[in-house]
């Protein structure tokens, strides 16, 4: 399967890694929309939030356990935002599930 974020997780395409373990990879967004903009992905391909099921959701809870640790490491002590765009209406441009961690400044109140 030709998937950009699978290739990034396998290091076939370089990225600025922030965190890695057997199941999760976190790296800096190539087009940052805040002073800190990190993407957190499961290494195993899940296309998006619309494909999360009871069978594959274990890694999602692991990602959500890891996000506060990443935020702390990135010094986002004053808060941050986590976003997962899904599908066409959600403006998901890469069909590999990812969570944006945004912070390092006061973010816009408007979310859409
Ligand atoms: P979304 O629009 O929610 O699907 O977010 C995809 C994000 O992925 C977008 O903010 C830009 C980022 N991105 C796209 N291609 C690359 C890449 O090759 N490397 C990195 N580090 N980020 C990428």
């Amino acid at each position: 399967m030709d998937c950009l974020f699978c290739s990034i997780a396998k290091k076939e395409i370089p990225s600025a890694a922030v965190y890695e373990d057997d199941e999760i990879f976190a790296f800096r967004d190539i087009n940052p929309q805040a002073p800190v903009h990190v993407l957190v992905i499961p290494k195993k391909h899940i296309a998006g939030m619309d494909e999360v099921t009871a069978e594959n959701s274990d890694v999602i809870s692991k990602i959500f356990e890891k996000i506060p640790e990443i935020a702390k490491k990135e010094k986002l002590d004053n808060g941050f935002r986590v976003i997962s765009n899904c599908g066409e209406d959600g403006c998901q441009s890469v069909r590999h599930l990812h969570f944006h961690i945004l912070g390092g400044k006061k973010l816009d109140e408007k979310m859409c």
Side-chain angles (χ1 to χ4, degrees), residues 41-79:
I41 64 171
K43 285 187 171 176
K44 197 167 164 210
H45 186 84
I46 299 172
M49 278 305 300
D50 51 345
E51 292 207 352
V52 174
T53 64
E55 282 68 47
N56 65 16
S57 64
D58 270 13
V59 71
I60 311 297
S61 60
K62 286 180 182 154
I63 286 172
F64 273 83
E65 286 166 23
K66 206 43 73 180
I67 284 174
E69 286 181 29
I70 294 170
K72 207 173 183 95
K73 221 170 116 196
E74 294 292 320
K75 303 191 173 27
L76 301 180
D77 304 320
N78 210 36

Side-chain angles (χ1 to χ4, degrees), residues 21 25 33-34 36-37 44 48 55 58-59 62 72 75-76 85-86 93 98 104:
D21 63 28
F25 191 59
Q33 296 189 33
V36 175
H37 189 166
K44 197 167 164 210
E55 282 68 47
D58 270 13
V59 71
K62 286 180 182 154
K72 207 173 183 95
K75 303 191 173 27
L76 301 180
N85 296 323
C86 182
S93 60
H98 52 281

Side-chain angles (χ1 to χ4, degrees), residues 4-5 8 27-30 85 91-94 98 100:
L4 174 63
F5 284 179
I8 286 178
F27 55 101
R28 298 198 190 281
D29 194 292
I30 205 166
N85 296 323
C91 290
Q92 183 181 8
S93 60
V94 180
H98 52 281
H100 299 257

